[in-house]
Amino acid sequence: MNQTIPLENQLSIDLPTSEQPLFFGPDQQNLVRVKRDDQIHPIISGNKWRKVKHHLLYAQEHKIKHIISFGGGFSNHIHALGFCCWQLNIRFTAIIRGNYQLNPSPMLLDIANWRAEIRYVNKVTYKNRDSSLKQQLHLEYPGALIIPEGGSSQLALKGVEQIIAELSHPYDLIVAPVASGATLAGIISGVEKQGLATRTRVMGIAALKGQDYLEKSVSDLLPEEANCVDWQINHDYHFGGYAKKNSELVKFCQTFSQTHNLAIEPVYSGKLFYALNTLLNQGKFANGSRILALHTGGLQGAR
Ligand SMILES: *Cc1c(COP(=O)(O)O)cnc(C)c1O
């Protein structure tokens, strides 16, 4: 890795992303801005870059030449990290839940082309990724950097906080999808660091079934200073769980993508915009609320 050129330049990451105005809700009367993190890079998925950046900087600083991480067969995180490691000449080992050997997903074919080493493990082994499996990997690959699933660690927050530092408009509310909760935690922490806690509240839209568990995941990552931020997670729009969908959601994604000329997919951004649209139609936000929706990217997973 070249130490003198910023990582963003080495990888052609395009920042800051824009805050695109869209008209939403009843009679398309509500102005909402969309932060287009889906446009960060043609391959590296938006919020996965934000979360992975400081892990890569850590590897660079400590001269670490091998990264290991975990994910499912369609993981946006593994895809983004696999591409970054290939570009930066870092060896990458992907620990994948389930055996896709005979039927690899487009994601797995991509990372194989990017020279990732892929290891398939069963669900039980995968469950121990932060304990016994991690210990075993440490023994097998001393000196490698092991990044948790989704890139979701304390180091991720710093990268996500940058989203808030980039904003060029004032907002009353910021809305984002939630899976591990690290992105939401980074937004909350960023709101505090930018001194916006009294003005801007944060709402997560759960992309999976996880009442209480998701709130705990977010608070566990948050620094104490962020306690002053008003945040919540809405659990009404997960459509039955992670990657679950119905025909109504699929239809919504198609119509939305066409109407606004803005591609969304049903796992994360579809649930976010479906929720936002419904809440606006129900008049759940004060008139004239200045709302920002974070488009986290993730379109590769929909292939
Ligand atoms: C992973 C992912 C999320 C969820 O982010 P968390 O930090 O895990 O909550 C949202 N959107 C997209 C596109 C993702 O790939």
Side-chain angles (χ1 to χ4, degrees):
M1 245 189 291
N2 191 317
Q3 307 257 340
T4 52
I5 305 170
L7 266 186
E8 272 95 353
N9 297 14
Q10 291 182 57
L11 294 163
S12 304
I13 298 281
D14 194 7
L15 286 175
T17 51
S18 69
E19 290 149 66
Q20 183 187 336
L22 278 193
F23 288 91
F24 246 92
D27 306 321
Q28 319 273 309
Q29 285 284 328
N30 296 83
L31 171 71
V32 169
R33 283 184 191 273
V34 180
K35 180 127 172 97
R36 296 291 308 272
D37 266 23
D38 56 311
Q39 291 184 324
I40 278 181
H41 190 274
I43 290 170
I44 305 168
S45 185
N47 73 329
K48 297 306 184 278
W49 168 251
R50 306 279 191 181
K51 295 201 284 180
V52 136
K53 173 181 171 181
H54 288 274
H55 292 98
L56 293 172
L57 285 174
Y58 179 92
Q60 198 166 44
E61 271 162 34
H62 294 83
K63 308 217 172 344
I64 295 170
K65 295 279 180 217
H66 183 193
I67 287 177
I68 303 171
S69 196
F70 311 91
F74 295 81
S75 164
N76 291 327
H77 163 67
I78 292 294
H79 193 254
L81 188 56
F83 180 80
C84 291
C85 286
W86 177 58
Q87 292 285 301
L88 299 170
N89 253 317
I90 300 173
R91 180 179 169 198
F92 179 50
T93 305
I95 312 292
I96 303 296
R97 182 190 56 226
N99 192 345
Y100 291 82
Q101 214 134 27
L102 295 177
N103 195 10
S105 65
M107 188 290 273
L108 292 164
L109 293 173
D110 278 351
I111 64 165
N113 278 329
W114 302 330
R115 294 201 281 275
E117 296 158 27
I118 303 175
R119 275 172 60 168
Y120 297 105
V121 300
N122 63 34
K123 278 187 189 153
V124 180
T125 307
Y126 191 85
K127 238 191 156 107
N128 297 320
R129 65 190 174 276
D130 295 324
S131 51
S132 54
L133 176 57
K134 185 169 147 187
Q135 277 165 5
Q136 184 198 319
L137 290 164
H138 268 309
L139 287 176
E140 199 174 331
Y141 304 109
L145 175 66
I146 302 182
I147 301 179
E149 182 186 66
S152 299
S153 74
Q154 215 72 49
L155 272 179
L157 265 60
K158 214 169 151 183
V160 179
E161 286 164 4
Q162 183 62 30
I163 295 175
I164 308 301
E166 284 171 17
L167 296 180
S168 49
H169 296 270
Y171 296 101
D172 303 302
L173 176 70
I174 299 176
V175 201
V178 181
S180 72
T183 301
L184 198 72
I187 291 172
I188 296 165
S189 166
V191 163
E192 188 275 322
K193 290 207 168 139
Q194 294 300 314
L196 300 172
T198 53
R199 176 205 279 173
T200 307
R201 62 191 182 93
V202 178
M203 183 193 280
I205 303 298
L208 48 83
K209 250 192 212 168
Q211 193 134 23
D212 301 334
Y213 156 81
L214 284 180
E215 278 81 359
K216 183 171 174 351
S217 310
V218 173
S219 357
D220 284 352
L221 285 167
L222 281 178
E224 210 172 295
E225 306 83 73
N227 284 343
C228 57
V229 180
D230 180 0
W231 65 273
Q232 67 182 109
I233 299 175
N234 180 310
H235 296 275
D236 296 338
Y237 301 96
H238 56 62
F239 288 83
Y242 181 70
K244 296 267 166 52
K245 58 188 178 191
N246 63 20
S247 54
E248 195 185 340
L249 178 62
V250 172
K251 185 94 198 12
F252 175 83
C253 290
Q254 284 165 353
T255 312
F256 182 98
S257 299
Q258 281 164 10
T259 312
H260 298 292
N261 193 23
L262 174 59
I264 57 173
E265 46 69 47
V267 181
Y268 299 107
S269 50
K271 290 178 182 178
L272 171 76
F273 286 109
Y274 184 97
L276 192 55
N277 190 54
T278 309
L279 294 169
L280 282 165
N281 280 322
Q282 293 171 346
K284 288 283 160 72
F285 305 117
N287 254 350
S289 289
R290 296 164 299 182
I291 301 174
L292 179 77
L294 177 67
H295 192 324
T296 43
L299 296 158
Q300 79 79 21
R303 289 178 297 178

